[in-house]
């Protein structure tokens, strides 16, 4: 699946849960993949897709998504949290465990996890 397909699926998932989705918002002169909001909660979302779900491919993509989202969010006039999302056709359970822990170890102020 191409990145645009993952983006559409992610946007649909947020909308089904009652989130407002803004596609490609401009924040501080830069463009993010999307922004989502519900009540007073706001996330700036960066999505990266890989053709394979291998750890050596996904870890750098996750780091890139986190750093890009943080850099874009700094330009926001309103407080906004960042959400880095990576996608691949299949991701092994062991890779998921590693990725869930990655942001907590590597990036200050980030939390890792997968939706339940």
């Amino acid at each position: 699946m191409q990145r645009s397909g993952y983006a559409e699926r992610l946007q649909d998932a947020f909308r089904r849960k009652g989130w407002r989705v803004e596609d490609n918002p401009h924040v501080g002169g830069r463009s993010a993949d999307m922004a989502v909001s519900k009540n007073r909660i706001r996330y700036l979302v960066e999505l990266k897709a890989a053709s394979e779900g291998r750890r050596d491919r996904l870890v750098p993509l996750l780091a890139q998504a986190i750093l890009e989202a943080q850099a874009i969010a700094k330009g926001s006039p309103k407080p906004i949290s960042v959400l880095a999302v990576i996608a691949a056709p299949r991701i092994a359970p062991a890779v998921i465990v590693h990725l869930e822990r990655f942001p907590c170890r590597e990036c200050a102020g980030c939390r890792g996890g997968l939706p339940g």
Side-chain angles (χ1 to χ4, degrees), residues 3-101:
R3 187 209 161 281
S4 61
Y6 289 120
E8 289 174 14
R9 289 178 66 184
L10 183 59
Q11 290 174 354
D12 289 344
F14 275 113
R15 286 186 180 112
R16 281 194 307 274
K17 294 294 184 178
W19 290 77
R20 188 178 136 263
V21 177
E22 183 182 353
D23 193 27
N24 296 322
H26 292 284
V27 180
R30 297 183 67 183
S31 181
D33 290 326
M34 68 185 79
V36 297
S37 59
K38 183 177 183 180
N39 302 323
R40 293 179 184 223
I41 302 168
R42 298 177 60 229
Y43 288 103
L44 183 120
V45 182
E46 278 297 303
L47 170 65
K48 302 293 180 198
S51 59
E52 307 176 64
R54 293 180 10 209
R55 180 175 156 176
D56 65 329
R57 305 266 189 219
L58 298 179
V59 168
L61 282 179
L62 179 57
Q64 181 182 3
I66 291 168
L67 293 173
E68 286 180 9
Q70 288 176 332
I72 295 168
K74 284 181 183 177
S76 176
K78 297 179 184 177
I80 190 166
S81 298
V82 300
L83 178 61
V85 179
I86 54 170
R90 184 184 179 296
I91 303 173
V95 175
I96 291 171
V97 169
H98 180 78
L99 293 170
E100 285 180 318
R101 295 180 183 147

